[in-house]
Amino acid sequence: MNFFLGQLSLCDLLISTNIAPNSMHGILQNGSHISFWGCVLQLFFFGASAVTECSLLTVMSYDRYLAICNPLHYTAIMNFPLTYYLALWSWAAGCFCSSIAEISLLQLNFCNKNIIDHFFCDLAPLIELSCSDLRVVKMEVSIVTIIFCLFQLSLIILSYICILRSILQISSTTGRQKAFSTCSAHLTVVSVYYGTLIVLYTSPGNYYINLNKTLSFLNTVVTPLFNPIIYSLRNTEIRRAIAKLLMKVNLKCLQP
């Protein structure tokens, strides 16, 4: 699990460094400039990071399924070669899906409009600048989204159904709490990440454009910031260190 957490942190770092600096500059300056190829590269890395994170969350749900539903064979199944292959598959899936969007985008013709009504180069506001027929591009993007994102979300839901059934079969309350604590952090991250994605890409763009911008900001800046915090709080040593730090701060405040 720690290996997958490292991959997830690397993915969050890529999203933050790709989106946050230019976005903050644009927000503070009420707009910013970016070249066409700079926008294309930003879109590629954003799409690759987003799909990779979805894939890693799916892999981590499978890891939790093995740990809870098949604990005696966990170390034999989830060995180091398999973890590396699963991580490599996640990154390859992200690059592949993002490449499809990039190829579709480069086939479009762009007219005189060059102002993106967003704080970064997302695909939806970018293709709206094109004067080409967008039906084929939107269909390709929808197919890729359904196959990868919704299919992986279905695998995560199926994994947690099996996990919940196994937890309910545990007789002791302590055992159930321990089993649930091993996947609570992952379940929180999945709920936040997929919740924002579903609202973001299913709401009507014209009516909810301000909502889309807010959710995009949460998904690209806030969520990568809070993911390490969520996973760190389930670590006993980190919780103890935070408790000691808070006690020291309270003692200093109580001193005359």
Side-chain angles (χ1 to χ4, degrees):
M1 191 63 172
N2 291 331
F3 174 76
F4 293 131
L5 286 177
Q7 298 296 313
L8 186 65
S9 300
L10 181 61
C11 187
D12 288 336
L13 181 64
L14 182 60
I15 292 176
S16 299
T17 55
N18 181 37
I19 302 297
N22 192 51
S23 300
M24 291 310 227
H25 180 265
I27 293 172
L28 294 175
Q29 300 295 326
N30 196 22
S32 62
H33 295 84
I34 186 171
S35 66
F36 175 77
W37 289 108
C39 191
V40 169
L41 286 175
Q42 187 183 63
L43 176 62
F44 172 80
F45 285 114
F46 168 70
S49 303
V51 177
T52 300
E53 184 151 352
C54 292
S55 302
L56 287 173
L57 291 175
T58 305
V59 169
M60 292 166 72
S61 68
Y62 174 67
D63 178 82
R64 294 300 86 195
Y65 164 77
L66 289 178
I68 295 175
C69 300
N70 200 1
L72 297 180
H73 297 88
Y74 175 79
T75 55
I77 298 175
M78 192 59 68
N79 49 31
F80 280 106
L82 180 60
T83 56
Y84 288 131
Y85 290 145
L86 290 174
L88 182 62
W89 169 81
S90 300
W91 288 100
C95 294
F96 175 74
C97 292
S98 187
S99 298
I100 293 177
E102 292 290 307
I103 293 172
S104 301
L105 178 66
L106 293 176
Q107 292 177 350
L108 299 177
N109 295 319
F110 291 89
C111 304
N112 295 324
K113 294 188 295 183
N114 60 355
I115 298 176
I116 303 174
D117 190 14
H118 214 288
F119 62 89
F120 74 100
C121 294
D122 199 1
L123 181 62
L126 192 58
I127 62 176
E128 293 299 327
L129 302 180
S130 173
C131 51
S132 303
D133 188 4
L134 302 177
R135 289 176 297 178
V136 177
V137 175
K138 290 182 178 180
M139 184 179 298
E140 291 176 353
V141 173
S142 299
I143 292 174
V144 172
T145 302
I146 291 173
I147 291 177
F148 279 89
C149 294
L150 293 184
F151 175 71
Q152 293 191 85
L153 179 59
S154 302
L155 292 178
I156 293 174
I157 294 174
L158 181 62
S159 299
Y160 273 100
I161 290 175
C162 298
I163 289 173
L164 182 60
R165 290 180 57 186
S166 298
I167 291 176
L168 293 177
Q169 293 176 357
I170 300 175
S171 57
S172 64
T173 305
T174 305
R176 287 197 296 269
Q177 292 177 350
K178 184 177 180 181
F180 182 75
S181 65
T182 60
C183 56
S184 58
H186 177 258
L187 186 59
T188 303
V189 172
V190 169
S191 301
V192 173
Y193 189 76
Y194 274 99
T196 55
L197 280 182
I198 291 173
V199 176
L200 179 62
Y201 291 104
T202 57
S203 60
N206 294 329
Y207 187 75
Y208 293 104
I209 186 168
N210 292 326
L211 176 62
N212 285 352
K213 291 179 182 178
T214 303
L215 291 176
S216 296
F217 181 79
L218 292 175
N219 210 33
T220 56
V221 179
V222 179
T223 301
L225 177 65
F226 278 99
N227 280 351
I229 298 176
I230 294 173
Y231 280 106
S232 297
L233 289 178
R234 66 182 297 271
N235 189 293
T236 306
E237 294 180 356
I238 293 178
R239 290 202 301 266
R240 289 176 181 174
I242 294 174
K244 290 180 180 179
L245 179 62
L246 293 176
M247 289 180 61
K248 290 181 180 180
V249 172
N250 291 331
L251 291 175
K252 289 183 180 180
C253 293
L254 293 175
Q255 288 178 357

